[in-house]
Amino acid sequence: MRESDTMRTVIAGIASYLPQKVVTNDDLAQMLDTSHEWIFSRTGIEQRRISANDEFASDLGVVVAKKIISQTGIDPSEIDAIIVSTTTADRRFPSCACRIQGEIGASKAFAFDINAACAGFIYGLSVSDSMMRTMGLKNVLLITAETLTKFVDWTDRLTCVLFGDGAGALLLQLSSDTSRGIISTKLYSNGEQEKYNSILSHNGPQNGHRGYTTMSGRAVFKYAIEYMSSSMTEILSENNMTIDDIDWIIPHQANKRILESMCKMKDFPLEKVVITTQLHANTSSASIPLALRDMIDCGKIKQGDTLLFTALGAGLVWASSIVRL
Ligand code: UT7
């Protein structure tokens, strides 16, 4: 038996960071044909944070990486790997992860980015967990850093009201304490059919601009309910668990109405679902760590709680994971 078979990947620290600028729905109504009432009733969003013009995904990542280093007291030279989930990297290359590595002086770490859109946090958990247990990595920084507000068309009221910026960081450690940590992850993609690609995508550089996010909202709404609920049901069943074994469901925070409809249609307990959409809007792969940090700070989520993460994003990609804190 390898040492890693008796080890678990545990969450040893969680940090989050939000850009300074708060933009409310009323602020958006000053510049667009929209209203607080429309945005709030359709999505549950009340406000979002918007990064400064010169503040990019790797900048958010550097701040949140420094925060987790100071919170946990880890020496950067002990970090084995830095994995960054982002859909909005500052540059095509080098990766955000390499820039963060240099800025924090994690001289022994290897570093790379992954892009699994809004499901990127759970993909990142899965990749980190696999690498840690197969390669024996002791300390991994998993960072999610997103600046989607730089990639929306601010004249398109259908999309621009939905997104916000933010970052999260987890320090993951290999531990012999098998009573906690990552219990299971399940990842899915479906990029085969054109209709899936076109319902939520980014059209790439256009006439000198970096391009815009486009979305068919109703289709995303439907697939989010269908695929998040089926992946949660599958992962619970594969682990011989039921929803009663879960203390909190922390879904990707795209839209409160998606979560309410999912609970109603698929019989998940809404009282166990963490909803922070009102504060941050849709921050893509940063939304689950942001919600987790908020819930720990307000005392709702505690050490020992069993969490079920779920998310869906462009690709389509979707994923679920069960983790005990
Ligand atoms: O990570 C995944 C990311 N995406 C999502 O989670 C989005 C999922 N989808 C949704 O949340 C919803 O589909 C939306 C919130 C995006 C839209 O809600 P909807 O109820 O599906 O609205 P709709 O697109 O069918 O539009 C209804 C009406 C239209 O007006 P008419 O044609 O009925 O006169 C739109 O033009 O609402 C209008 N509208 C707006 N009005 C005020 C669309 N956007 C706005 C807006 N403010 N921002």
Side-chain angles (χ1 to χ4, degrees):
M1 186 185 278
R2 289 170 308 167
E3 186 195 33
S4 58
D5 292 337
T6 56
M7 304 293 268
R8 272 275 176 83
T9 302
V10 302
I11 298 179
I14 303 157
S16 64
Y17 171 69
L18 292 162
Q20 291 292 305
K21 188 175 175 188
V22 179
V23 174
T24 65
N25 294 343
D26 284 333
D27 294 333
L28 290 183
Q30 307 282 319
M31 51 186 262
L32 282 168
D33 181 14
T34 189
S35 63
H36 169 72
E37 207 285 323
W38 192 96
I39 300 169
F40 183 68
S41 65
R42 295 293 210 290
T43 67
I45 296 166
E46 293 180 37
Q47 62 177 44
R48 72 283 294 137
R49 299 294 184 104
I50 296 194
S51 49
N53 289 340
D54 60 352
E55 188 180 29
F56 297 96
S58 67
D59 298 310
L60 270 56
V62 169
V63 177
V64 85
K66 287 182 175 168
K67 266 181 116 170
I68 200 151
I69 287 167
S70 100
Q71 243 172 254
T72 58
I74 187 162
D75 184 326
S77 67
E78 290 177 292
I79 298 170
D80 299 303
I82 300 172
I83 300 175
V84 175
S85 159
T86 184
T87 43
T88 54
D90 332 1
R91 295 169 289 179
R92 201 166 287 281
F93 52 85
S95 66
C96 288
C98 278
R99 181 172 169 232
I100 295 166
Q101 182 213 5
E103 293 281 341
I104 63 173
S107 52
K108 297 200 183 105
F110 61 88
F112 62 97
D113 289 359
I114 58 167
N115 179 346
C118 299
F121 169 67
I122 302 175
Y123 270 66
L125 270 185
S126 187
V127 170
S128 305
D129 182 35
S130 305
M131 293 186 89
M132 292 181 80
R133 288 189 296 113
T134 54
M135 296 170 72
L137 308 179
K138 291 194 168 49
N139 296 293
V140 170
L141 269 196
L142 171 62
I143 293 174
T144 60
E146 303 281 10
T147 54
L148 269 159
T149 68
K150 293 194 183 342
F151 294 84
V152 293
D153 175 355
W154 283 102
T155 64
D156 176 15
R157 66 178 184 170
L158 273 170
T159 51
C160 73
V161 303
L162 303 173
F163 297 102
D165 300 334
L170 263 58
L171 174 64
L172 299 169
Q173 290 185 326
L174 205 56
S175 164
S176 55
D177 179 3
T178 53
S179 67
R180 62 192 194 104
I182 299 176
I183 295 170
S184 185
T185 54
K186 263 193 96 63
L187 313 180
Y188 309 79
S189 308
N190 188 344
E192 279 177 15
Q193 289 165 279
E194 174 59 23
K195 66 176 180 179
Y196 291 114
N197 284 324
S198 58
I199 64 166
L200 179 60
S201 61
H202 183 265
N203 58 16
Q206 310 275 311
N207 302 325
H209 184 276
R210 301 181 83 185
Y212 300 118
T213 301
T214 60
M215 183 178 63
S216 166
R218 295 216 162 181
V220 181
F221 199 102
K222 190 181 104 192
Y223 287 120
I225 292 175
E226 208 49 52
Y227 291 164
M228 289 197 302
S229 61
S230 62
S231 71
M232 285 194 288
T233 304
E234 278 181 37
I235 200 168
L236 285 170
S237 143
E238 281 181 12
N239 287 281
N240 297 316
M241 294 169 90
T242 70
I243 202 67
D244 295 339
D245 298 309
I246 300 296
D247 295 298
W248 295 100
I249 300 170
I250 312 187
H252 167 47
Q253 304 290 320
N255 181 325
K256 182 182 180 202
R257 217 158 45 97
I258 291 179
L259 305 176
E260 290 171 343
S261 305
M262 180 179 75
C263 288
K264 200 166 167 195
M265 290 165 63
K266 306 289 181 182
D267 209 20
F268 283 98
L270 186 58
E271 64 280 5
K272 286 191 178 182
V273 177
V274 168
I275 300 179
T276 56
T277 329
Q278 69 281 7
L279 295 173
H280 310 136
N282 182 347
T283 56
S284 192
S285 70
S287 85
I288 293 178
L290 281 169
L292 179 55
R293 185 66 257 174
D294 281 6
M295 290 301 108
I296 292 171
D297 288 344
C298 73
K300 268 194 170 177
I301 292 185
K302 299 183 187 66
Q303 191 81 31
D305 281 354
T306 305
L307 311 176
L308 174 52
F309 301 129
T310 191
L312 171 131
L316 291 175
V317 290
W318 64 104
S320 285
S321 177
I322 302 172
V323 174
R324 188 161 303 120
L325 265 191

